[in-house]
């Protein structure tokens, strides 16, 4: 079981490092199918692995100067307000309904990511028709801050926090498409900023779960440690793979995992 956990963690960390999203989306099904966990048990374990791996990626991005840290802190701060509500909803909803929500979210993510891939140039630059809600200074490469920018990013953070608490995912599957749609950031900066938000949001949610008695066994720890290694490898490979290809592979995999979760039902 430890070997299976390590292999699954390696893959999850690599996906997170490559795309800035999807770590939690894939971590929960991986733990459910690979280690036999239930949805409620898998969610916090997934967050520990995803949060730790995202922290490694965010620190790498900070060293490279591509993390928009003010935006990341706003996104995470807004998300921290709604993450506890998401945790309560997860405990309140029946397992089958929670499973169906998870599947629906994955299909929406797949569709949005595929649409984004059609607008993304092969060099991973900004979309061909960049959104204007959050503008980037051509001189500094940083956000031009105003009320519209703050409100837009704050709203994205609120939705991400709710999803993080309820579904046990890092929120990157919402953050990455949202930043690609609402901002003029380049993809490599979007990924790095998303990783910082995921790390911060996961830390808040995991601390709540830990206070409620979360405990990790040996297979779960193997999963977490391997995810850190996978993240490092993913961040090395990311600049060498076209953003469009990554987005389409991500979309196809989302649909496949959603189908498996739907067949499994809410066990």
């Amino acid at each position: 079981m430890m070997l299976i956990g390590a292999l699954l963690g390696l893959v999850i960390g690599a996906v997170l490092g490559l795309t800035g999203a999807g770590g939690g989306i894939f971590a929960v099904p991986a733990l459910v199918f690979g280690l036999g966990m239930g949805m409620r048990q898998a969610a916090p374990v997934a967050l520990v692995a995803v949060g730790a791996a995202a922290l490694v990626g965010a620190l790498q991005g900070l060293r490279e100067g591509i993390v928009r840290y003010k935006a990341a802190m706003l996104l995470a701060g807004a998300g921290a307000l709604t993450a506890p509500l998401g945790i309560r909803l997860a405990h309140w909803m029946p397992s089958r309904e929670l499973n169906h929500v998870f599947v629906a979210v994955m299909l929406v993510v797949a569709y949005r990511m595929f649409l984004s891939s059609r607008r993304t140039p092969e060099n991973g630059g900004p979309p061909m028709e960049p959104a204007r809600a959050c503008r980037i200074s051509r001189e500094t490469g940083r956000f031009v801050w105003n009320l519209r920018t703050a409100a837009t990013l704050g709203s994205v953070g609120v939705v991400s926090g709710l999803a993080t608490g309820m579904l046990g995912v890092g929120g990157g599957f919402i953050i990455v498409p949202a930043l690609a749609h609402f901002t003029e950031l380049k993809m490599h900066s979007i990924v790095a900023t998303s990783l910082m938000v995921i790390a911060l949001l996961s830390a808040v949610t995991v601390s709540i779960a830990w206070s409620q008695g979360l405990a990790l066994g040996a297979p779960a720890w193997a999963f977490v440690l391997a995810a850190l290694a996978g993240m490092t490898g993913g961040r090395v490979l990311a600049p060498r793979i076209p953003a469009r290809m990554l987005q389409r592979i991500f979309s196809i995999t989302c649909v496949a995992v959603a189908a498996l979760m739907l067949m499994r039902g809410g066990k």
Side-chain angles (χ1 to χ4, degrees), residues 196-224:
M196 183 172 180
V197 179
I198 292 170
L200 294 172
L201 276 179
S202 298
V204 172
T205 311
V206 168
S207 64
I208 295 173
W210 225 288
S211 68
Q212 295 175 351
L214 171 65
L216 273 64
W221 277 117
F223 181 84
V224 172

Side-chain angles (χ1 to χ4, degrees), residues 8 11-12 15-16 19 21-32 46 50 102 106 169 223 249-255 257-258:
L8 291 174
V11 173
I12 298 306
V15 170
L16 186 61
T19 65
I25 281 271
F26 297 138
V28 173
L31 291 168
V32 169
V50 169
F102 196 95
M106 293 193 75
V169 295
F223 181 84
I249 293 173
F250 180 81
S251 298
I252 293 170
T253 308
C254 267
V255 173
V257 174

Side-chain angles (χ1 to χ4, degrees), residues 8 16-17 23 30 32 34 60 63 74 112 115 120 127-128 137 145 153 173 201 211 213 216 232 249-250 256 262-263:
L8 291 174
L16 186 61
V32 169
Q60 291 175 339
R63 285 198 298 269
L74 173 59
R112 294 295 302 168
L115 288 183
T120 302
M128 297 174 185
S137 169
W145 285 97
L153 295 178
F173 70 97
L201 276 179
S211 68
L216 273 64
T232 303
I249 293 173
F250 180 81
L262 191 60
M263 286 188 294

Side-chain angles (χ1 to χ4, degrees), residues 33-108:
F33 289 112
L35 299 182
M37 295 184 179
M39 281 282 291
R40 289 193 177 92
Q41 183 186 6
V45 175
L47 274 180
V48 172
V50 169
L55 178 60
V56 172
L59 292 175
Q60 291 175 339
L62 284 169
R63 285 198 298 269
E64 297 169 8
I66 59 175
V67 175
R68 301 277 66 88
Y69 58 88
K70 291 181 182 178
M73 288 189 288
L74 173 59
L75 286 161
L81 297 177
T82 54
L85 175 60
I87 293 175
R88 290 189 178 185
L89 287 174
H91 285 284
W92 174 74
M93 291 178 65
S95 295
R96 184 174 296 274
E97 291 184 14
L98 187 63
N99 187 74
H100 289 165
V101 170
F102 196 95
V103 169
V105 168
M106 293 193 75
L107 293 176
V108 171

Side-chain angles (χ1 to χ4, degrees), residues 173-266:
F173 70 97
I174 291 174
I175 297 165
V176 171
L179 291 181
H181 179 73
F182 291 114
T183 79
E184 300 171 341
L185 286 175
K186 294 183 178 180
M187 186 54 66
H188 72 298
S189 185
I190 289 175
V191 170
T193 302
S194 172
L195 291 175
M196 183 172 180
V197 179
I198 292 170
L200 294 172
L201 276 179
S202 298
V204 172
T205 311
V206 168
S207 64
I208 295 173
W210 225 288
S211 68
Q212 295 175 351
L214 171 65
L216 273 64
W221 277 117
F223 181 84
V224 172
L225 295 175
L228 296 177
M231 162 61 71
T232 303
R235 295 299 293 151
V236 171
L237 290 175
R240 305 177 185 179
I241 302 176
R244 182 181 298 176
M245 182 183 297
L246 285 175
Q247 290 170 327
R248 291 186 176 180
I249 293 173
F250 180 81
S251 298
I252 293 170
T253 308
C254 267
V255 173
V257 174
L260 289 173
M261 293 296 289
L262 191 60
M263 286 188 294
R264 177 185 179 275

